[in-house]
Amino acid sequence: MLELTWLGHSCFSIATGKHSILVDPFLDDSPAAPCKSGDVNADFILITHGHFDHIADAAKIAKRTGATTVSNFEISQWLARQGVKETVGMNLGGGVTFPFGRVKMTIAHHSSTLPDGTPGGNPGGFLMTLDDEDIYIAGDTALFSDMQLYAPAVLDLAILPIGDLFTMGPEDSIDAIKLLKPNRVVPCHYNTWPPIAQDVKAWAESVRSQTKAIPETPRPGGKITL
Ligand code: NI
Ligand code: MN
């Protein structure tokens, strides 16, 4: 059994029973976070791209916990320069089998400059296979039709941004769900700040009426099990 906790914005914690996997840690300065970076456990930290709202607390948490970071190659080198000891640098289309399961880095149409202005390589997403569950984390991205190529025959869960402005908005996320055909879908990257405020109840209603996916809309700190 997997337990997925939304920590606000695009930050998620996935507990497999054996491992804790943290995705896009942005807690200490996030108005939507239900906890601080010092409160979370991590064995692995996955980072989709270099923007502060996805990487702000990554080095801090990795150094405290000894977690291994998983990101693109440029970001892995930047984290190593911040003193992170265990980094795995990958690139688009590549996959790695970790003790907790397999992770493939997928395309995202976005940008990736790091907080200090260092070029952060290409933005990405992650397709993960954990305990026979296939989870697609789109990352910050626009809608793109090749998304459908990533979806396995049964995609258990898709995590998609819906905030608009910086990423796809609610309408494009419905088209993404039609391409991916996930069993369940969790929205993210919304309601952190006023410019990405969204009516998540209306979004969930659109998901139910226009797709076969089940929308899951935890509050920050809320969990879903897989
Ligand atoms: Ni971004
Ligand atoms: Mn972002």
Side-chain angles (χ1 to χ4, degrees), residues 81-94:
R81 288 198 296 274
Q82 321 285 310
V84 176
K85 292 216 163 54
E86 301 294 332
T87 62
V88 174
M90 47 201 302
N91 214 325
L92 301 175

Side-chain angles (χ1 to χ4, degrees), residues 35-220:
C35 62
K36 293 293 183 189
S37 66
D39 303 328
V40 294
N41 287 326
D43 299 302
F44 294 88
I45 303 173
L46 275 56
I47 300 147
T48 59
H49 65 293
H51 290 157
F52 74 96
D53 55 319
H54 301 258
I55 201 170
D57 299 319
K60 206 176 342 185
I61 296 168
K63 285 191 269 187
R64 175 175 56 81
T65 60
T68 299
T69 62
V70 180
S71 65
N72 73 24
F73 185 75
E74 290 82 354
I75 291 172
S76 75
Q77 291 195 310
W78 185 82
L79 288 166
R81 288 198 296 274
Q82 321 285 310
V84 176
K85 292 216 163 54
E86 301 294 332
T87 62
V88 174
M90 47 201 302
N91 214 325
L92 301 175
V96 180
T97 301
F98 292 100
F100 62 85
R102 186 156 173 86
V103 175
K104 184 161 83 171
M105 180 166 273
T106 57
I107 290 168
H109 290 281
H110 190 65
S111 53
S112 182
T113 307
L114 285 153
D116 62 2
T118 302
N122 286 309
F126 294 109
L127 184 66
M128 308 169 68
T129 305
L130 309 174
D131 291 355
D132 297 330
E133 301 287 327
D134 288 306
I135 302 173
Y136 172 57
I137 298 171
D140 281 10
T141 186
L143 172 67
F144 58 100
S145 60
D146 282 358
M147 248 179 208
Q148 65 197 303
L149 300 175
Y150 296 136
V154 177
L155 178 61
D156 297 288
L157 180 72
I159 298 177
L160 302 175
I162 67 161
D164 216 349
L165 185 62
F166 303 119
T167 66
M168 66 171 109
E171 288 182 13
D172 281 357
S173 79
I174 299 297
D175 287 330
I177 295 164
K178 289 176 184 170
L179 293 172
L180 292 161
K181 301 182 175 67
N183 289 337
R184 298 202 273 173
V185 58
V186 173
C188 68
H189 216 276
Y190 72 97
N191 286 2
T192 318
W193 301 284
I196 55 170
Q198 294 297 338
D199 179 345
V200 77
K201 279 190 179 161
W203 173 83
E205 197 42 56
S206 299
V207 173
R208 277 189 286 267
S209 63
Q210 295 180 50
T211 80
K212 288 176 180 155
I214 297 165
E216 302 276 5
T217 57
R219 291 172 192 278

Side-chain angles (χ1 to χ4, degrees), residues 4 117 153:
L4 178 103

Side-chain angles (χ1 to χ4, degrees), residues 13-26:
S13 174
I14 303 169
T16 67
K18 280 188 185 159
H19 298 99
S20 291
I21 301 144
L22 188 65
V23 181
D24 282 355
F26 173 53

